[in-house]
């Protein structure tokens, strides 16, 4: 069959929307009609070469859809199931999966593209060249074939356009707060960067019962949105001395936690300065591959016993946490509708990414 997909051929070039040949699902693979795909920053990192991947690559790693057909041996889903893609596959059998770190599953090393788990391609362009699939899923496609390890079945009554968001951004933020930092009720937290992930860190801090949520950005509209999502204070990093103001708001101590989403050096250093003795800075934003050092004081790490930790996919267990987050949405406790500030057709993908870079959306979604 054929599918229209967004492909990166060369770093720095726009996404190319083209028709690809798509093979039938093989052993333990699933054919999905993709309904919606979130415009997340990681694909932009790939397009610009800031995150190395094997090209050509059909992009998109946040999405939801409906299972059309399954290959032999599939047990995790059946035709007609509504699903969210997990951008890291979970085999369920490796050491990491068994320890409860399925976000670090051994299959994670395969998300950068290239052939499928069995060494072959399902997508081919008109020249007959094999096209890799980002995170093995390629959600910027009308149709895709994914390993069943990447599939999480959800309740059919959740709109897929909203469900797509928990495939990456919302899960990452939720897990960073709940599992990586383990924020206790009454805590104080700073959030550096209030885009697609940061705004969800803000709302998940509110869910976790944080007493003070200090949101920082340079775009006034994002700070306004952060207040709607639960921020108790907002600061503009361009004009405000973040660390000084945070200390002022916390009896001179500094915040219990800081979450850094922008991966900008100056923001990392401000976040580190804003946490108290014994505080924790959680790095969520993906820094470019050529950024080799962290602008934090090793002496302060020791003398003030600060911690800097990273998190991938918010350390969530997608199969458990994606349905959990959608249950929170259905209970009216997690905002998803309010996150989608614009929708695009697949042909408008480059416009969607230009809007992301310009800071125009909380989350743009491609509706397929
Ligand atoms: Zn993402
Ligand atoms: Zn595994």
């Amino acid at each position: 069959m054929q599918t229209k997909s967004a492909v990166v051929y060369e770093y720095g070039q726009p996404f190319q929307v083209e028709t690809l040949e798509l093979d039938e699902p093989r052993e333990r693979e699933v054919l999905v009609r993709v309904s919606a795909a979130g415009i997340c920053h990681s694909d932009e990192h790939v397009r610009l070469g800031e995150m190395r991947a094997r090209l050509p690559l059909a992009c998109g790693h946040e999405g939801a859809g409906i299972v059309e057909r399954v290959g032999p041996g599939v047990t995790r889903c059946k035709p007609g199931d509504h699903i969210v893609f997990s951008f890291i596959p979970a085999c369920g059998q490796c050491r990491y999966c068994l320890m409860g770190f399925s976000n670090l599953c051994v299959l994670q090393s395969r998300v950068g593209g290239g052939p499928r788990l069995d060494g072959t391609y399902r997508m081919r362009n008109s020249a007959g060249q094999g096209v890799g699939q980002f995170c093995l899923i390629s959600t910027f496609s009308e149709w895709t074939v994914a390993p069943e390890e990447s599939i999480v079945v959800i309740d059919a009554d959740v709109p897929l356009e909203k469900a797509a968001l928990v495939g990456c951004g919302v899960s990452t933020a939720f897990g960073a707060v709940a599992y990586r930092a383990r924020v206790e009720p009454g805590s104080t937290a700073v959030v550096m960067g209030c885009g697609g992930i940061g705004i969800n860190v803000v709302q998940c801090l509110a869910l976790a019962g944080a007493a003070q949520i200090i949101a920082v950005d340079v775009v006034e509209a994002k700070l306004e949105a952060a207040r709607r999502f639960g921020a108790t204070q907002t600061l503009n990093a361009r004009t405000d001395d973040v660390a000084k103001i945070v200390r002022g708001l916390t009896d001179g101590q500094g915040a219990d936690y800081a979450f850094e989403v922008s991966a900008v050096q100056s923001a990392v250093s401000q976040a580190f300065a804003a946490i108290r003795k014994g505080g924790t800075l959680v790095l969520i934003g993906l820094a470019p591959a050529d950024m080799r050092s962290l602008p934090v004081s090793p002496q302060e790490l020791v003398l003030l016993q600060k911690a800097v930790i990273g998190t991938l996919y918010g350390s969530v267990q997608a199969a458990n946490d994606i349905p959990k987050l959608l249950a929170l949405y259905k209970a009216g406790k997690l905002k998803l509708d309010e996150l989608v500030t614009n929708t695009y057709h697949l042909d408008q993908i480059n416009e969607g990414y230009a809007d992301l870079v310009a800071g125009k959306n909380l989350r743009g979604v491609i509706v397929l």
Side-chain angles (χ1 to χ4, degrees):
M1 67 186 301
Q2 292 189 321
T3 176
K4 207 150 88 164
S5 300
V7 182
V8 169
Y9 276 91
E10 205 181 320
Y11 294 132
Q13 294 301 307
F15 292 102
Q16 196 168 313
V17 177
E18 62 180 354
T19 300
L20 302 174
E21 282 297 327
L22 181 68
D23 287 350
E24 285 296 309
R26 297 192 191 170
E27 188 85 21
R28 303 192 62 203
E29 289 181 341
V30 180
L31 173 67
V32 179
R33 173 79 178 92
V34 184
S35 304
I39 297 181
C40 177
H41 216 127
S42 301
D43 300 276
E44 180 74 354
H45 287 309
V46 168
R47 187 182 71 79
L48 295 174
E50 292 169 352
M51 186 159 97
R52 290 286 156 178
R54 272 211 254 172
L55 305 181
L57 188 65
C59 285
H61 68 283
E62 181 180 276
I66 299 173
V67 175
E68 180 76 11
R69 280 194 288 283
V70 300
V74 168
T75 59
R76 296 193 193 185
C77 60
K78 58 182 189 311
D81 280 347
H82 288 217
I83 64 104
V84 168
F85 294 95
S86 168
F87 76 85
I88 296 175
C91 73
Q93 295 168 346
C94 74
R95 180 182 176 199
Y96 296 101
C97 283
L98 294 175
M99 286 193 299
F101 301 118
S102 70
N103 61 312
L104 304 176
C105 175
V106 290
L107 297 179
Q108 180 216 337
S109 62
R110 307 295 293 275
V111 303
R116 315 295 308 178
L117 296 175
D118 70 358
T120 62
Y121 290 88
R122 297 296 164 275
M123 290 181 167
R124 269 185 317 283
N125 61 18
S126 56
Q129 182 184 22
V131 174
Q133 291 181 248
F134 188 38
C135 298
L136 300 167
I137 55 183
S138 303
T139 56
F140 296 149
S141 301
E142 297 165 328
W143 296 90
T144 190
V145 169
E148 68 167 335
E149 288 88 344
S150 306
I151 302 288
V152 178
V153 177
I154 61 164
D155 290 345
D157 59 354
V158 181
L160 290 164
E161 189 186 312
K162 308 294 160 34
L165 304 180
V166 302
C168 174
V170 178
S171 293
T172 297
F174 173 74
V177 170
Y179 303 135
R180 196 66 173 115
R182 295 181 182 275
V183 170
E184 311 86 358
S187 300
T188 305
V190 178
V191 182
M192 303 293 288
C194 297
I197 305 242
I199 197 80
N200 284 302
V201 174
V202 168
Q203 76 159 327
C204 291
L205 282 166
L207 261 180
Q212 277 186 291
I213 304 168
I214 304 157
V216 185
D217 206 288
V218 294
V219 179
E220 213 40 60
K222 288 190 186 177
L223 294 175
E224 216 179 284
R227 287 191 284 273
R228 291 198 301 274
F229 278 75
T232 56
Q233 281 94 14
T234 53
L235 303 176
N236 191 318
R238 251 199 251 289
T239 49
D240 295 325
D241 182 338
V242 173
K244 192 171 162 197
I245 294 173
V246 169
R247 278 196 294 275
L249 290 167
T250 54
D251 295 328
Q253 300 293 304
D256 299 314
Y257 300 97
F259 296 85
E260 209 299 304
V261 184
S262 63
V264 173
Q265 290 258 2
S266 58
V268 174
S269 112
Q270 277 184 311
F272 185 71
I275 53 173
R276 63 163 169 80
K277 279 196 286 189
T280 302
L281 165 57
V282 183
L283 301 182
I284 305 173
L286 188 67
D290 59 0
M291 192 195 286
R292 307 304 300 180
S293 64
L294 211 50
V296 302
S297 153
Q299 195 177 64
E300 260 186 61
L301 271 178
V302 175
L303 294 180
L304 302 181
Q305 200 175 292
K306 291 185 176 183
V308 181
I309 56 178
T311 183
L312 174 66
Y313 210 162
S315 317
V316 297
Q317 312 305 295
N320 180 41
D321 287 301
I322 285 174
K324 192 194 276 186
L325 284 162
L326 293 176
L328 281 168
Y329 166 69
K330 286 205 279 187
K333 295 182 176 179
L334 185 79
K335 293 183 173 72
L336 295 182
D337 300 334
E338 297 84 346
L339 285 174
V340 182
T341 45
N342 211 342
T343 59
Y344 303 84
H345 299 298
L346 186 56
D347 292 322
Q348 298 172 298
I349 185 168
N350 290 299
E351 190 187 314
Y353 271 95
D355 287 350
L356 171 103
V357 172
K360 287 188 187 167
N361 288 326
L362 290 178
R363 200 49 138 200
V365 172
I366 292 177
V367 177
L368 292 136

